[in-house]
Structure formats: structure tokens, C-alpha cells
Amino acid sequence: FLRPLSAPRFTSLPGALLLALAFFPSVNPIRAQAQAAPSVIAMKADHWEFAPQKVEFLDYKSKPALKILPGAGPVILKAPDFANGTIEFDFEPTDPRFATVYFRWQSAGENECVYLRTARAGDASAGDAVQYAPHLGGINIWDLLGHFQANATFQKQAWIHVKLVVSGALAGMVA
């Protein structure tokens, strides 16, 4: 599930209930402190590209939400291109394995992503609960980038607030 919070090209795979989504794109990547006004994305069908009957828009825990159903494939935010800035959202993972957010999306074979290994929820000792991985030439090279995975304490069946800051070759995430 996802819920609304700001606006580039965002893709999420099944396994999440999105409650809020916000993007704070940088106006000038050289001066990251100069930022455009945040874009808050409403959880309404006309803001998203998705396979028919594979996404539900509903109230969940008294909040407007987007539920990505099994077999949905990518759910893509209709928004301006995103290169640098902040993506902030709340979500509740429903897939027992992964919840993934893609950014700097060019195609299925050329993009960057951050994902939570939802099976690690509640395991404070898991050093790979969150992972950054680019897809280059159609290959997810996560296994070459062990230094881009870390511990993240989160729970199943609870909202998780995520803030992803992207600036040039650097990215940081708080969950």
C-alpha cells in the first residue's frame, strides 16, 4: 500500500500498499539546496500507469491508499523525469519477500532501485534489510554492491516512512 506525499518517475512492484508519496526535485543538481516546490501525489488512478484490474484505490486505516495487487507488474507514477532530489513516502509491505521503489527509470533494463527485504522485518541483526541496486544492460547488479545494503528496522503490517535522497552519484535512505 502507498499513501500520497512529492514528483518524478516512480515505479513500485507488487508487495506494497502505498499511503503517501512526495517528491522534492532539485532545480539545479549542482546546488542541491535549491529545490522546487514539493509535489504531493494524490492516490487517484489518473496519476498512475498500471495494468487494468491490478491496482486498487481505497481508504486503508482511514487514509487514501493505493494497493498493488499480485501480478500487477510495475506501477508507474505519471510525473516529470527525476534525476536528483528527495522521494518521500509511507508504505506497508504486503509481499513476504520484497518491496521495491525504482527511480531514474529509462527502461526495465536501465534504472536504479532501492528495495526492502520484507522477510527481514523485525530482525535488528539483518545487515541486508535494505538494498540499493542499479539495473545496467538489463542486469540487476545487487550482488556486486554488498556495500550498498544495510540494516533497517521495520515491522510487517505497519506503515514504514521512507525518505530517499538522490544527488548525482550519491543516494541515502532513511526508513
Side-chain angles (χ1 to χ4, degrees):
F1 282 97
L2 287 171
R3 75 176 177 175
L5 277 197
S6 2
R9 190 149 176 99
F10 170 89
T11 308
S12 178
L13 287 179
L17 175 69
L18 184 62
L19 178 60
L21 178 62
F23 296 99
F24 304 84
S26 294
V27 173
N28 181 343
I30 296 171
R31 295 193 330 217
Q33 70 272 14
Q35 296 205 343
S39 299
V40 178
I41 308 303
M43 292 298 126
K44 296 184 178 185
D46 59 338
H47 293 200
W48 302 87
E49 295 174 26
F50 53 89
Q53 302 177 336
K54 293 296 184 176
V55 171
E56 292 178 358
F57 295 88
L58 62 144
D59 278 349
Y60 181 76
K61 297 183 179 178
S62 303
K63 304 277 184 178
L66 176 158
K67 184 176 183 180
I68 302 169
L69 302 173
V75 176
I76 303 170
L77 175 65
K78 296 176 186 175
D81 290 335
F82 177 81
N84 295 290
T86 303
I87 302 170
E88 200 166 346
F89 58 96
D90 293 323
F91 82 106
E92 183 174 321
T94 57
D95 185 287
R97 299 160 298 162
F98 298 99
T100 308
V101 176
Y102 292 87
F103 56 99
R104 294 182 177 164
W105 180 274
Q106 295 175 26
S107 68
E110 300 290 331
N111 59 69
E112 296 177 66
C113 72
V114 171
Y115 55 89
L116 295 174
R117 289 182 174 94
T118 54
R120 306 287 198 265
D123 183 354
S125 67
D128 63 350
V130 63
Q131 171 83 49
Y132 162 80
H135 289 84
L136 303 172
I139 299 169
N140 180 340
I141 62 169
W142 70 271
D143 53 343
L144 301 177
L145 302 171
H147 55 289
F148 290 138
Q149 59 188 15
N151 184 345
T153 303
F154 57 93
Q155 301 299 317
K156 291 180 182 176
Q157 300 178 337
W159 289 114
I160 300 167
H161 184 76
V162 175
K163 182 176 184 177
L164 178 62
V165 181
V166 180
S167 179
L170 303 175
M173 181 173 145
V174 178

